[in-house]
Amino acid sequence: MTDQTDVGASAGIERNGTNPVPEAQRRGLPRGLFAVWFSWNVSIMGISYGIYVFGLGLSVVQAIVAGVLGYVMSALLVGVIAVGGPRTGLPTLTQTRFAFGFHGNKLPTFFAYLSNLGWKVTIITLASSTGAGLFARLWPDQFGRPGGHASTPAVVLWFVAVLAVVLVVAVFGHRLILRVESWIAYLTSVMTVVFIGLIVPHVRWGELGAAAHGSWWAFGGGVIMAMTISGISFLNYGGDFARYLPRFTPARAVIGWTAGGITLPLAVLLVLGVLLVASDAQLGNAAAADPIGALTALLPLWFFIPFSVVIVISLVAAAILGVYSSGLALLALGVPTSRAGTTAINTVIISAGAFYLLFVSDSFLATFQAFLALISVVMGTMGGIQLLDFIRQRRGGWNVDLAKRAGEGGRSGRWTALVSLGVATVVGLGLVTSSDPNIGRVVGFLLSDAAKKGVIGSTNVGVVIAMAIGAGLYALLTFVFKLDPKGIYAGVPERELSKVAS
């Protein structure tokens, strides 16, 4: 590639960026992907997801089945996207140049970067405030304020510590990330099992049958909600952690270990969230608003202390992976720097964003999260087009020249993909709603007032509809009408074409 081709050694700081990972540096087994995705998703926030799905008016069984089904379906899509990693050796947001073109890819990649880094600001802020809250409870005289709140020095101390760990691991890159995430996966899984054992006694089993069965329409909404809050948000990064696997790693193994790592922790925590809210609406509502505060309040002090640390660690795990991928996104945008340089850029942005959230604004967070949620319309559509374009990429032997500039084997832009993205995004924004009143004025324009307050408006079904429309329109233009000329797949021996296609 012409941008970021310094591959360097396999040890120390990773130097691979948007270039294909050389065959000599390929290593590992697909089961290593499980720990990466498990540690990203094993978070106490998963309990809130179960509460949200149940809140659509479903019974306990319906909420559990709908949530797990949505998780599995969307996680499998991430697994399919991840297959492009070993086949090309490219990060996902570089591989999407195959579909959108070298420069055309910059538009969706910018939104992907904005979304990823935005959520990382939120996660690091939450990790810092959680750690500071622990210090305030243990040493109120030194780190507390009136009302039980953490002092500013406590928040700053935890913010610096969290940000330092995240950035050091992210800049060293893939090899260190796999090691760190494996240990975090083991630690968080053990502590989560103990946590579940302490929380389950609070479930009022006799109350679980009180909730009536919801309609099939509400059940479908639950499936879609689970999809949008889990796997769909990972579609643009699925291959980032699989690209170091050997080129001919079996696709089913990549898909299975990726989907399993996403689904298992989310499904277990969803079940716990459904049981809690179905048996105690007051506790469920409190956990939906503040899952960490509401649920840790039920823990004995001997476990509250280590579990609070584990909560911070799980948030750090998610932040590491997100910052790593956001650095690759910057390179895919064409920022003329190295991976270490992108980490420096991300440090400045995260510090500024987190400082604003922690010390300046009390009301900005909700609006910020509402805006980031809307970006999922673009991200889901981009992922749907990329998934469908795998047909074209596979037929061409996954030729990485198609990710280069025009004249070097690639295209500046592919209008079939860009038009499909634009049309589907407009439709998707017309079918979603926002809790923020300002954002709400410019979305949901295809919905009636009744629909905005019903299942469609509350589940963001527009994300999935936009994804389907984008993929469908792209298929029509590219494969049915053949309006986009076929690429030139040079330099791929026939025996490799047949091997990769299998």
Side-chain angles (χ1 to χ4, degrees):
M1 301 262 122
T2 57
D3 51 335
Q4 188 62 20
T5 57
D6 181 13
V7 297
S10 59
I13 294 178
E14 180 190 2
R15 296 178 183 174
N16 287 309
T18 57
N19 59 284
V21 175
E23 293 289 339
Q25 294 184 28
R26 303 294 189 95
R27 59 184 183 268
L29 296 171
R31 65 168 179 257
L33 297 172
F34 181 86
V36 171
W37 292 104
F38 184 95
S39 59
W40 194 330
N41 288 280
V42 59
S43 167
I44 199 170
M45 298 299 295
I47 296 176
S48 296
Y49 301 160
I51 296 172
Y52 299 152
V53 173
F54 180 82
L56 295 175
L58 302 176
S59 66
V60 171
V61 173
Q62 282 182 316
I64 291 174
V65 173
V68 173
L69 183 59
Y71 289 158
V72 171
M73 291 171 60
S74 60
L76 286 173
L77 295 180
V78 181
V80 175
I81 286 285
V83 174
R87 295 295 183 266
T88 64
L90 295 171
T92 296
L93 288 175
T94 301
Q95 192 182 348
T96 49
R97 292 174 180 172
F98 286 40
F100 294 94
F102 187 89
H103 293 297
N105 187 57
K106 292 179 180 179
L107 174 64
T109 297
F110 171 75
F111 283 103
Y113 173 75
L114 183 64
S115 175
N116 192 332
L117 200 64
W119 285 116
K120 297 304 109 39
V121 169
T122 304
I123 288 174
I124 291 175
T125 300
L126 183 59
S128 304
S129 59
T130 300
L134 173 64
F135 272 24
R137 180 167 176 177
L138 294 178
W139 301 288
D141 294 338
Q142 291 78 20
F143 297 105
R145 291 186 302 169
H149 300 292
S151 65
T152 298
V155 175
V156 172
L157 176 65
W158 274 91
F159 172 73
V160 171
V162 167
L163 186 62
V165 171
V166 168
L167 296 176
V168 167
V169 177
V171 76
F172 270 87
H174 188 269
R175 183 182 290 271
L176 181 60
I177 286 174
L178 289 184
R179 293 177 180 174
V180 170
E181 299 294 334
S182 294
W183 282 106
I184 290 177
Y186 285 123
L187 174 63
T188 53
S189 61
V190 170
M191 294 296 285
T192 300
V193 169
V194 178
F195 169 75
I196 292 172
L198 293 172
I199 294 296
V200 165
H202 294 274
V203 175
R204 302 173 184 174
W205 299 98
E207 304 290 332
L208 297 182
H213 286 284
S215 65
W216 283 106
W217 183 248
F219 178 83
V223 174
I224 291 174
M225 174 180 280
M227 292 179 68
T228 57
I229 60 180
S230 59
I232 287 182
S233 61
F234 299 127
L235 285 177
N236 303 289
Y237 310 102
D240 292 2
F241 309 102
R243 65 196 180 112
Y244 275 88
L245 292 173
R247 177 175 176 139
F248 301 115
T249 300
R252 62 182 179 275
V254 175
I255 295 170
W257 287 110
T258 298
I262 295 172
T263 302
L264 180 60
L266 286 174
V268 171
L269 293 170
L270 175 134
V271 172
L272 182 59
V274 171
L275 295 179
L276 283 173
V277 70
S279 65
D280 187 345
Q282 185 175 359
L283 174 60
N285 293 333
D290 179 16
I292 294 177
L295 296 171
T296 54
L298 303 176
L299 300 174
L301 184 61
W302 65 267
F303 187 72
F304 168 81
I305 296 173
F307 189 68
S308 295
V309 175
V310 169
I311 290 174
V312 174
I313 291 174
S314 68
L315 293 170
V316 166
I320 289 171
L321 298 172
V323 169
Y324 175 78
S325 288
S326 66
L328 295 175
L330 273 181
L331 295 176
L333 280 170
V335 177
T337 185
S338 63
R339 279 195 55 262
T342 64
T343 302
I345 294 172
N346 288 334
T347 301
V348 174
I349 297 174
I350 291 173
S351 298
F355 177 84
Y356 187 81
L357 290 181
L358 287 168
F359 303 113
V360 179
S361 174
D362 294 327
S363 60
F364 176 70
L365 181 59
T367 299
F368 186 52
Q369 290 178 329
F371 170 70
L372 293 175
L374 290 184
I375 297 178
S376 63
V377 175
V378 183
M379 299 297 91
T381 304
M382 180 186 184
I385 293 172
Q386 169 71 347
L387 282 166
L388 195 67
D389 195 61
F390 268 21
I391 298 173
R392 196 174 63 91
Q393 297 176 31
R394 185 170 176 264
R395 289 174 180 174
W398 307 96
N399 189 341
V400 296
D401 286 346
L402 294 177
K404 294 181 179 180
R405 300 173 184 271
E408 299 176 2
R411 304 272 293 280
S412 291
R414 294 186 69 247
W415 71 270
T416 49
L418 292 168
V419 167
S420 301
L421 177 68
V423 171
T425 297
V426 171
V427 174
L429 291 175
L431 295 174
V432 299
T433 60
S434 176
S435 57
D436 182 84
N438 296 315
I439 297 176
R441 294 191 184 100
V442 297
V443 298
F445 47 84
L446 296 178
L447 297 174
S448 65
D449 291 338
K452 289 180 180 180
K453 299 176 182 178
V455 174
I456 294 179
S458 59
T459 60
N460 277 339
V461 67
V463 175
V464 176
I465 293 177
M467 183 177 176
I469 290 175
L473 182 57
Y474 179 72
L476 191 67
L477 295 173
T478 304
F479 301 116
V480 178
F481 295 127
K482 301 184 185 301
L483 295 177
D484 195 51
K486 185 182 289 187
I488 300 173
Y489 311 116
V492 183
E494 285 296 324
R495 62 179 181 276
E496 291 214 4
L497 280 173
S498 60
K499 188 174 183 181
V500 173
S502 62

